[in-house]
Amino acid sequence: MTRIGIVVGSTRPGRLGPQVARWVEKAARERADAEFELVDIADYDLPLFDEPRVPRLGVYDHAHTRAWSAKVAELDGFVFVTPEYNWSIPAALKNAIDFVYTEWNHKAAGFVGYGSNVNGARAVEHLRQVCGAVQLSTVYTQVTLSLWTDCVDFTTFTPAEGHDAVLHRMLGEVVALTAALAPLRGA
């Protein structure tokens, strides 16, 4: 069965990401066409990129890189949950993507962004470029959430009802694109 990782893209204390990711996971578990798993980059304790060789070689000296590599490799697609920090993605998410290369190739990616100005849209657009660089194919539909209207006091996630339909559409696109890319992955 197709396996999709819901990647929590922030590591800061007090982050909203895990709440948003659980909302995504709840909707995803209603589907019968794929398995979904929360993947919190904070659990991997990745330092700033510290491998002596380029990730494209797939030779890793450090246990943290090998653990991250194994997790990314076992998944067929991804939904990235990211806040917007200064019109971009968190450094921790960019770093996590940069740690490996071939493990991302020929897989699908969808996005759930959140922020205070344009609801995480700038972060998602930047993340689309980063995904292209590691041969992740991205879906069209994206979920964008407002810290002003989809949160209470910037700490408790309370999504507006209208986001559910967009989330379900994006999840469907991720599953479909993941299946379409399977021959390229040798799956």
Side-chain angles (χ1 to χ4, degrees), residues 13-175:
R15 63 204 167 126
L16 197 61
Q19 293 177 58
V20 178
R22 285 191 296 275
W23 171 71
V24 173
E25 181 184 34
K26 181 180 177 196
R29 296 216 183 270
E30 296 172 10
R31 304 182 65 89
D33 54 357
E35 294 175 357
F36 292 84
E37 173 185 348
L38 281 178
V39 178
D40 191 339
I41 60 173
D43 294 339
Y44 291 85
D45 200 26
L46 297 169
L48 283 176
F49 184 68
D50 64 346
E51 288 291 336
R53 288 174 288 283
V54 297
R56 194 178 287 249
L57 296 175
V59 178
Y60 308 120
D61 286 359
H62 303 292
H64 56 260
T65 309
R66 288 191 297 273
W68 179 238
S69 167
K71 177 50 64 186
V72 173
E74 75 183 28
L75 297 165
D76 302 306
F78 305 90
V79 173
F80 291 98
V81 175
T82 184
E84 183 170 304
Y85 290 175
N86 300 316
W87 296 10
S88 189
I89 60 176
L93 177 56
K94 176 66 164 73
N95 187 57
I97 292 170
D98 288 346
F99 254 93
V100 297
Y101 178 77
T102 57
E103 296 85 343
W104 299 115
N105 296 176
H106 309 304
K107 296 178 181 182
F111 309 101
V112 177
Y114 57 95
S116 60
N117 291 324
V118 292
N119 306 347
R122 286 187 210 108
V124 169
E125 289 310 305
H126 185 207
L127 187 51
R128 285 181 187 282
Q129 293 177 347
V130 173
C131 287
V134 294
Q135 297 187 52
L136 275 167
S137 296
T138 65
V139 301
Y140 175 80
T141 301
Q142 63 190 39
V143 179
T144 56
L145 305 163
S146 171
L147 291 176
W148 299 104
T149 59
D150 296 308
C151 295
V152 175
D153 297 327
F154 295 94
T155 59
T156 305
F157 180 57
T158 55
E161 189 174 307
H163 295 303
D164 291 334
V166 178
L167 174 59
H168 285 287
R169 186 168 54 250
M170 182 270 295
L171 290 171
E173 290 174 15
V174 170
V175 171

